[in-house]
Amino acid sequence: AVFWECSSSVFSMKSSHSCYIIATIVRMSRCLALVVFLLVAGRAHTQQCNVDDNVRFDCFPEDGVTQSKCEARGCCWRLPKSSGNHTTPPRRGGRLLPTQDVPYCFYPSDYPTYSLSNLKETDYGYTGDLRRSTHSYYPKDIMQLKLDVYFETNTRLHFKIYDANSQRYEVPIETPKVTKKVPRPNYEVDFVHEPFSLRVARFDSGQGMNETLFNTNITRSFMFTDQFIQISSILPTSYIYGLGEHRAGFLHSLNWTRLTMWARDIPPVVFLGPSPDQVIQQYTEVIGRPFMPPYWSLGFHLCRWGYGSSDKTQQVVEKMRKAGIPQDGQWNDIDYMDKHLDWTYDKTNFSGLSDVVKDLHDHGQHYVNIIDPGISNQQPKGSYAPYDDGLSIGAFITFANGSLVKGQVWPGETVYPDFTNPVTKVWWTAEAKAYHDKINYDGLWIDMNEPSNFVDGSILGCPDNSYEHPPYTPDVLGDKLSAFTVCVSAKQYWSTHYNVHNLYGMSEMIASHDALANIRGKRPLVISRSTFPSSGKYGGHWLGDNNSLWKDMWYSIPGILNFNLFGIPLVGADICGFGGTTTEELCQRWQQLGAFYPFSRNHNTLGSKDQDPTSFSPAMQKSTRDILLIRYSLLPYLYTLFHKGHVTGSTIVRPLFFEFSMDQEAFTIDRQFLWGSSLLISPVLEENATSVNAYFPADTWYDFYTGTRVTSQPSKGKMITLDAPLDKLNLHVRGGRILPTQDPNTTTTASRNNKYGLIVAMSMGSVANGELFWDDGDTLSTYENGKYIFMKFSAVDNKITSTVIKNGYPYADKMELGSTRVFGVAKQPTSVSANGKAATFTYDSKTQMLTVSDMSLPMKVPINITWKY
Ligand SMILES: *[C@@H]1O[C@H](CO)[C@@H](O)[C@H](O)[C@H]1NC(C)=O
Ligand SMILES: *[C@@H]1O[C@H](CO)[C@@H](O)[C@H](O)[C@H]1NC(C)=O
Ligand SMILES: *[C@@H]1O[C@H](CO)[C@@H](O)[C@H](O)[C@H]1NC(C)=O
Ligand SMILES: *[C@@H]1O[C@H](CO)[C@@H](O)[C@H](O)[C@H]1NC(C)=O
Ligand SMILES: *[C@@H]1O[C@H](CO)[C@@H](O)[C@H](O)[C@H]1NC(C)=O
Ligand SMILES: *[C@@H]1O[C@H](CO)[C@@H](O)[C@H](O)[C@H]1NC(C)=O
Ligand SMILES: *[C@@H]1O[C@H](CO)[C@@H](O)[C@H](O)[C@H]1NC(C)=O
Ligand SMILES: *[C@@H]1O[C@H](CO)[C@@H](O)[C@H](O)[C@H]1NC(C)=O
Ligand SMILES: CC(=O)N[C@H]1CO[C@H](CO)[C@@H](O)[C@@H]1O
C-alpha cells in the first residue's frame, strides 16, 4: 500500500466548467524487509529553478525541510516569486515564512524522471514501457514500469502503471475487467515520450472544445518507488470535492493542501461524467453499488452511551411512544456489555434486555447494538467463548513470527480479529448467532474499527522494519503509522497490515453484513465508523463523534454530501451532537436537519444531559414530532432514491451543483442540499436565527407546506431570505417533479399499511414526472429476484396518470392512492374525477394548490386523475 497525498496548485480555471475528480488514486507497492538507502542522484545536472509560484510542486512534503535537505534531493530552494525581489533563499524551514503556502523546496523543470518507449496500440487501448536511468531521492526506485491504458466504456478510462518485473500487492476488490476497447470513447489520451507525461481530455460537443481533465505535463515529479508513489496533474478547475473524510466545508482549498489517505484499492480511473451525478454512477460501477437498506432503517433511531440499564432504555422508548414521536430503532452503546466484552450483556443492570427487545418487536420497532473488534484475552479460560474459539481457529492478527498482536481497548487487553481470513468470518457468524439466541438484535453498529488501539502498535511496541518506518511517513496523527492502531508489519490473511490497514473496517463490515444475513435471513443493517471505497455495498456510516456545537451541525452537511460521493449514501451525524451538552434550540434545529439525513439517529455521550426529544419542552417535542412525521411521509420517495442508488449508483443526498452543474453560484453551497433531484432542504444553522438565506438555482420552486410558488424559472438563480421560526424547517419542491408519499405513523411498520399520496409540482409548462419503487422492505435481493413493484407517474396540463412498469410485489393489492396535492394549478377547477368517478377536492386560489382527498385508487393498475375548469 502506498500513501497518496494530493498536493496541488490552482493552475487554470477554464470557463464555468468543472471537472469532478473522485478518488483517482494509485496504490501498488510491495514493501521489502531490507531497506537500502541509495545515494540520491540528480544533483549533477544543471537545475532549472525558474518555476512560477503556482506550478511549484512540493519536493519536501515532510516536516523539517532545510535548504541542505532540499538540495540533497536535487530540488530547488527559492523564495516564492510573489514575495518580491529577494534573491537569498531563507535559512529556516520554508513554511513558516510569509506567503507560507508556496513551497520553497520544489522540483526543477529538468528533474530526471521516466521516459516512455515501445508505445503500442492494443485491443484494450495502449501499452508501453516506462524507464528511468537515474534514481529519485526515495529508496528502491522501480526503474522499469509498464503502462496500460484501457478504454473501458465511453465514459470510463482506466490507466494502470505497475512494476514491469515483479508482482506487487494489489487490493483484492473486484473491479470490472475490460479487454476490448470501446470504438468511440468520449475522450482522448495523448502521451509525451521524453520525459513521460500523459494527458486525458474529454470531448465536449456543447462547448465545441475538448476539456483537459488530467495532464501530467506540468512537473517531472512522477515517482514510483517501493514505498512511495507520486503523480502530479494540472487540475482543470478550482472546484474539487470528495477525496476522503475530512472535517471541513465541502469544497477543498487547493493551496498546497495535503490530504492524507492510506491504501486505496483501485487502479487510477478517470471518470468522465459529464454530469456530476453520472460521475458517481460511473464510480460506483467500478467499486460496487450501494446496498438496499431495510425500510425500517430509514426511520428515526435513538441511542445514548450511558442509559446504564435496560430499565432506562425501556423508559426512553415508552416516553417516545407516549409523546407520539416517530421511532423505528432503539440502540445501545457499550454500556450494555458485561465489562465491555463483545457478545455479552450486563446480567445485572441489563437483565431485562431481551424483554426490551421483545417489546420493541411487539411494537413494530427494531433493536441495534454496538460491537467493537477488540476481543479480550484476559478472561479465565473456558469462560469467554469468543476468545477461546477464535484462538483455537487462528482468527486473530499476529506478528510475522506468529505470536498474537495484543493491544488495549475498552475491555482492557485485547486481540484483533483478522476479518480478511475466511475462518474468522465463520467464527464471527457463530459468535453473532450465539449472542442473537439470547438477545434478538436486528442490526450491528461496528465501531473502533480503524482498528483503534489505546496503545501504539501493541502492548509490546512494534518490531523495527521498513513497514513500521517507511522512507516517507504521511501526515498521520501521532507521526507514525502504528499510532492508535496495530503494528503495521502485523500479518493478515490478505496481506501485511501495512497494505490492508484501510480495509480493516470494510472487512469487518463484510463479515458483519454476511453474519446478519445468515442469522436473520433478512436485509442486514450494518453501520460502520471506518469505511473504504466499496463499503457502501455492505452498509452505512455515521460521521463519528461530533460535538453539540452549531458548527458541527453545519459540518455534517458536507459530511453527508461527501459520503454520497463515495457511494456510501446511508449516512448521518449524531443528531444534537455526541460530545458536550446541547441546548434545546440547537437540538430542535438539529432534529429538523437530521430528519433529512439519510440515516437519522440522535446519539449522546456518557455523562451528558439527556437529549432525546422527550427530555425537552412540549414545543420542542411538537416540532420534532412534526418534522419526523414529514420524513416518514416522504419515505416512499427516499426509498425510491435508495433503489436508484442501488441500481444505477446515483446519489441520494446531493449538493445543488449536481443538478445545476452550469451554475457557478451553486458550486460552493454546503448549507443546503437536495434529496434526489427534487426536494430542497434549507436548514437554520445559526443560533437565534429566525430566517435563513436560501439559494434557489434557476428553476421553478414551490413551498412544500403551502404549495406557493417562490420562483418561476428565473434566468438565473437567486438568494431568498425565508422565514424560519424555531418550529420550521424550510423545504421546497422543484417544479416538474412528482414525489410519492405515504400517510405517516410513528413506526414504518405502521406507516407501511397506510395510503399513499402524490405531491405533483407542475413545471411552468404544466408537466411533471416521478416514480415509485416498492417492495416488502426487508427481504433480501427483492430487485434481483423481481419481487417489487415499480411505477411511473406523469402529469400534463389537467391530468395525472400512472403506469406500472413492473409488478412482482406479492402485496401490491394492498396499495392504494389516497390523496394528491398539485402545486401550480392556475385556475379554480369546477370538478375533479379519479379513475372516472367524482372526487373530493379543495382549491386555494392564493397558493394555487389543488388538493384531492379521500380516494382509494388501487395502485397496481393505471390511475387517472383529471380536473375541469
Ligand atoms: C476532441 O476530441 C475528439 C474525440 O477524441 C476529436 O475527434 C476532436 O478532434 C477533438 N477536438 C478538438 C477541438 O481538439
Ligand atoms: C509539455 O510542457 C512543456 C513545458 O510547458 C511544453 O513546452 C510542451 O509543449 C508540453 N507538451 C505537450 C505535448 O503538451
Ligand atoms: C489560496 O491562495 C490564494 C492566492 O494566494 C489566496 O487568495 C486564497 O485566499 C488562498 N485560499 C485559502 C483557502 O487559503
Ligand atoms: C448499574 O447501575 C447502578 C445503579 O444505577 C450503577 O451504580 C452501576 O454503576 C451500574 N453498573 C455498571 C457496571 O455500570
Ligand atoms: C514476535 O514478535 C514480536 C514483535 O517483534 C515480539 O514482541 C515477540 O516477543 C515475538 N515472539 C516470539 C515468540 O518471538
Ligand atoms: C443568542 O441569544 C442569547 C440570548 O439572548 C445570547 O446569550 C447569545 O449570545 C445569542 N447567540 C448568538 C450567536 O448571537
Ligand atoms: C398510528 O396508527 C395507530 C393505530 O392504527 C393510530 O391509532 C394512530 O393514530 C396513528 N398515529 C398517527 C400519528 O397517525
Ligand atoms: C380512467 O380510469 C378509469 C377507471 O380505471 C377508466 O375506465 C378510464 O378509461 C380512464 N380514463 C382515461 C382517460 O384513461
Ligand atoms: C464529520 C465531522 O465533522 N466529524 C467531526 C466531529 O467532531 C469531532 C470532534 O470535534 C471531529 O474530530 C470530527 O472530525
Side-chain angles (χ1 to χ4, degrees):
V2 139
F3 316 109
W4 166 274
E5 294 197 339
C6 183
S7 58
S8 53
S9 64
V10 184
F11 182 68
S12 67
M13 221 203 84
K14 286 194 196 160
S15 68
S16 64
H17 266 266
S18 54
C19 150
Y20 311 96
I21 300 183
I22 316 291
T24 57
I25 310 304
V26 203
R27 158 248 43 106
M28 255 183 292
S29 191
R30 180 191 52 184
C31 175
L32 299 180
L34 272 181
V35 178
V36 182
F37 280 85
L38 297 159
L39 283 180
V40 175
R43 297 181 61 187
H45 69 279
T46 321
Q47 289 186 339
Q48 295 192 7
C49 295
N50 185 20
V51 175
D52 285 344
D53 286 359
N54 67 345
V55 285
R56 284 189 179 189
F57 282 76
D58 195 345
C59 182
F60 208 104
E62 298 95 330
D63 285 342
V65 62
T66 61
Q67 180 168 359
S68 59
K69 286 185 186 169
C70 173
E71 286 171 358
R73 292 186 167 187
C75 287
C76 301
W77 177 260
R78 293 285 188 285
L79 273 174
K81 290 188 175 177
S82 54
S83 68
N85 277 337
H86 301 274
T87 46
T88 0
R91 282 167 196 238
R92 61 193 185 94
R95 280 153 209 281
L96 302 172
L97 297 174
T99 59
Q100 55 193 333
D101 282 337
V102 181
Y104 286 57
C105 183
F106 55 93
Y107 291 89
S109 56
D110 56 350
Y111 195 79
T113 182
Y114 290 86
S115 56
L116 171 65
S117 55
N118 300 328
L119 185 70
K120 289 200 253 320
E121 284 203 42
T122 64
D123 286 352
Y124 54 80
Y126 289 103
T127 187
D129 296 329
L130 298 175
R131 281 174 219 275
R132 67 184 304 150
S133 51
T134 46
H135 290 280
S136 75
Y137 52 82
Y138 282 124
K140 296 268 169 192
D141 279 295
I142 312 300
M143 306 298 277
Q144 291 184 25
L145 301 169
K146 286 292 268 193
L147 167 71
D148 284 334
V149 180
Y150 299 85
F151 291 67
E152 295 197 337
T153 71
N154 286 341
T155 54
R156 192 173 80 226
L157 171 77
H158 167 185
F159 65 90
K160 177 170 175 171
I161 297 174
Y162 57 99
D163 191 333
N165 297 315
S166 66
Q167 180 68 37
R168 306 176 69 83
Y169 175 74
E170 292 190 32
V171 175
I173 289 179
E174 279 194 24
T175 54
K177 298 276 173 297
V178 176
T179 51
K180 200 100 190 110
K181 170 176 175 171
V182 285
R184 272 175 301 280
N186 203 20
Y187 45 82
E188 60 185 5
V189 187
D190 48 52
F191 306 91
V192 179
H193 289 248
E194 180 60 59
F196 163 64
S197 75
L198 168 153
R199 189 184 74 99
V200 180
R202 177 175 68 197
F203 183 58
D204 191 331
S205 51
Q207 293 267 312
M209 65 179 208
N210 294 343
E211 187 164 17
T212 299
L213 299 183
F214 192 80
N215 185 1
T216 68
N217 184 23
I218 178 70
T219 172
R220 301 188 178 192
S221 64
F222 172 51
M223 269 187 214
F224 198 119
T225 75
D226 193 47
Q227 290 181 276
F228 184 85
I229 293 174
Q230 171 169 284
I231 190 162
S232 308
S233 166
I234 303 168
L235 295 170
T237 175
S238 56
Y239 296 100
I240 299 289
Y241 311 86
L243 298 171
E245 186 175 8
H246 300 96
R247 185 171 187 255
F250 192 41
L251 199 59
H252 287 302
S253 158
L254 298 181
N255 294 355
W256 291 274
T257 305
R258 277 202 286 170
L259 299 171
T260 302
M261 289 177 259
W262 281 62
R264 308 301 301 235
D265 65 324
I266 305 153
V269 173
V270 178
F271 302 100
L272 295 143
S275 91
D277 204 59
Q278 283 168 335
V279 173
I280 305 303
Q281 294 175 25
Q282 291 153 14
Y283 176 53
T284 54
E285 185 177 5
V286 174
I287 63 164
R289 306 284 197 214
F291 83 121
M292 192 65 195
Y295 198 81
W296 61 268
S297 71
L298 303 182
F300 178 64
H301 302 272
L302 197 54
C303 186
R304 79 159 295 160
W305 180 13
Y307 286 123
S309 68
S310 45
D311 286 355
K312 181 70 201 290
T313 310
Q314 178 73 27
Q315 281 163 23
V316 171
V317 174
E318 280 172 12
K319 282 201 287 181
M320 290 287 285
R321 287 181 195 147
K322 195 144 170 274
I325 300 172
Q327 181 185 4
D328 263 66
Q330 179 59 50
W331 298 42
N332 274 130
D333 205 325
I334 53 174
D335 50 305
Y336 79 87
M337 294 179 188
D338 177 24
K339 294 175 287 188
H340 296 143
L341 298 172
D342 270 5
W343 310 121
T344 69
Y345 65 97
D346 176 345
K347 297 258 176 24
T348 314
N349 286 12
F350 281 84
S351 59
L353 190 55
S354 76
D355 294 336
V356 174
V357 176
K358 181 169 186 310
D359 179 73
L360 286 167
H361 290 169
D362 289 348
H363 287 82
Q365 294 170 302
H366 291 81
Y367 176 73
V368 179
N369 53 239
I370 198 166
I371 284 290
D372 293 336
I375 298 289
S376 169
N377 61 346
Q378 297 292 302
Q379 307 309 309
K381 198 165 165 39
S383 72
Y384 184 49
Y387 177 72
D388 297 341
D389 296 350
L391 187 67
S392 71
I393 55 142
F396 305 122
I397 298 182
T398 65
F399 288 108
N401 65 14
S403 62
L404 290 173
V405 175
K406 295 168 186 167
Q408 195 143 19
V409 208
W410 297 115
E413 195 176 307
T414 53
V415 295
Y416 292 88
D418 173 8
F419 293 105
T420 71
N421 190 337
V423 304
T424 307
K425 284 183 66 179
V426 174
W427 160 81
W428 190 247
T429 301
E431 301 307 327
K433 172 148 192 357
Y435 185 65
H436 193 264
D437 290 344
K438 296 178 201 141
I439 304 295
N440 192 5
Y441 61 85
D442 302 295
L444 289 173
W445 171 26
I446 56 176
D447 194 12
M448 310 291 283
N449 52 3
E450 288 72 23
S452 175
N453 186 356
F454 297 162
V455 298
D456 290 350
S458 84
I459 54 170
L460 300 173
C462 295
D464 191 5
N465 57 41
S466 63
Y467 293 108
E468 303 292 348
H469 305 287
Y472 174 76
T473 301
D475 189 17
V476 295
L477 214 61
D479 292 332
K480 57 179 171 184
L481 296 180
S482 64
F484 308 111
T485 191
V486 298
C487 297
V488 295
S489 59
K491 238 170 54 183
Q492 290 198 237
Y493 183 82
W494 278 351
S495 183
T496 309
H497 186 73
Y498 176 91
N499 285 326
V500 298
H501 172 78
N502 280 7
L503 294 170
Y504 192 86
M506 188 168 79
S507 64
E508 190 192 12
M509 284 177 91
I510 298 172
S512 304
H513 171 279
D514 292 358
L516 277 170
N518 189 309
I519 295 164
R520 297 175 69 247
K522 290 179 187 166
R523 241 180 259 175
L525 175 65
V526 176
I527 296 289
S528 175
R529 189 164 81 183
S530 165
T531 57
F532 192 77
S534 293
S535 285
K537 273 169 80 176
Y538 309 101
H541 175 68
W542 92 106
L543 294 171
D545 299 344
N546 285 81
N547 290 315
S548 297
L549 299 171
W550 291 87
K551 193 163 194 183
D552 278 17
M553 173 163 66
W554 165 39
Y555 281 155
S556 72
I557 299 177
I560 59 171
L561 293 176
N562 273 326
F563 272 84
N564 272 267
L565 305 192
F566 306 155
I568 308 173
L570 187 69
V571 59
D574 287 343
I575 294 171
C576 303
F578 174 72
T581 302
T582 190
T583 61
E584 173 161 325
E585 184 191 356
L586 173 62
C587 195
Q588 184 163 354
R589 291 302 194 187
W590 209 325
Q591 284 285 165
Q592 290 166 357
L593 166 61
F596 288 84
Y597 290 157
F599 170 58
S600 182
R601 185 188 68 165
N602 173 322
H603 178 43
N604 193 4
T605 192
L606 186 69
S608 269
K609 188 173 116 192
D610 285 346
Q611 68 180 31
D612 65 87
T614 67
S615 52
F616 297 100
S617 73
M620 189 286 190
Q621 294 184 41
K622 181 178 185 310
S623 85
T624 300
R625 181 190 310 123
D626 291 350
I627 201 70
L628 285 173
L629 287 171
I630 287 172
R631 176 188 177 89
Y632 276 51
S633 74
L634 287 166
L635 285 181
Y637 175 56
L638 183 66
Y639 195 60
T640 303
L641 292 176
F642 267 100
H643 162 71
K644 295 298 256 192
H646 177 60
V647 174
T648 69
S650 70
T651 51
I652 281 69
V653 161
R654 276 174 213 174
L656 274 63
F657 81 85
F658 263 44
E659 288 294 317
F660 301 90
S661 56
M662 303 303 275
D663 179 349
Q664 217 163 328
E665 286 287 307
F667 288 7
T668 55
I669 290 184
D670 58 8
R671 291 170 163 264
Q672 293 169 270
F673 58 97
L674 293 160
W675 266 16
S677 65
S678 316
L679 184 71
L680 177 63
I681 297 115
S682 309
V684 168
L685 301 168
E686 270 149 37
E687 192 174 13
N688 301 336
T690 53
S691 64
V692 63
N693 292 326
Y695 184 71
F696 289 86
D699 208 332
T700 306
W701 295 96
Y702 297 91
D703 182 297
F704 172 86
Y705 302 95
T706 62
T708 308
R709 193 162 57 217
V710 294
T711 62
S712 314
Q713 216 165 12
S715 55
K716 63 199 284 278
K718 64 178 175 189
M719 197 61 93
I720 300 179
T721 303
L722 302 166
D723 267 356
L726 200 48
D727 61 355
K728 180 173 180 185
L729 172 69
N730 277 285
L731 296 172
H732 292 85
V733 184
R734 187 170 172 189
R737 312 292 152 142
I738 300 179
L739 311 188
T741 63
Q742 188 165 36
D743 295 345
N745 203 315
T746 53
T747 65
T748 57
T749 307
S751 67
R752 286 179 55 89
N753 295 322
N754 291 347
K755 285 186 182 174
Y756 298 78
L758 295 176
I759 296 173
V760 179
M762 293 292 199
S763 69
M764 291 311 285
S766 278
V767 296
N769 290 289
E771 55 196 28
L772 171 67
F773 172 88
W774 200 253
D775 60 14
D776 72 12
D778 217 8
T779 296
L780 293 160
S781 308
T782 52
Y783 172 70
E784 293 73 6
N785 297 326
K787 301 277 189 211
Y788 65 93
I789 184 164
F790 184 74
M791 61 189 83
K792 291 191 176 224
F793 304 102
S794 102
V796 182
D797 296 329
N798 59 340
K799 181 171 179 180
I800 302 165
T801 54
S802 75
T803 316
V804 177
I805 307 292
K806 155 97 191 174
N807 181 11
Y809 175 47
Y811 309 104
D813 284 351
K814 301 211 169 106
M815 298 174 72
E816 288 186 347
L817 184 73
S819 62
T820 297
R821 295 198 292 155
V822 191
F823 301 161
V825 176
K827 287 182 291 187
Q828 164 84 44
T830 52
S831 68
V832 176
S833 82
N835 282 3
K837 295 203 186 78
T840 313
F841 71 97
T842 59
Y843 177 76
D844 185 331
S845 56
K846 198 158 142 261
T847 63
Q848 303 195 330
M849 176 165 76
L850 167 69
T851 306
V852 189
S853 54
D854 302 327
M855 300 183 289
S856 297
L857 312 180
M859 289 176 74
K860 64 169 194 178
V861 292
I863 286 169
N864 61 62
I865 300 170
T866 56
W867 54 96
K868 290 207 185 91
Y869 298 110

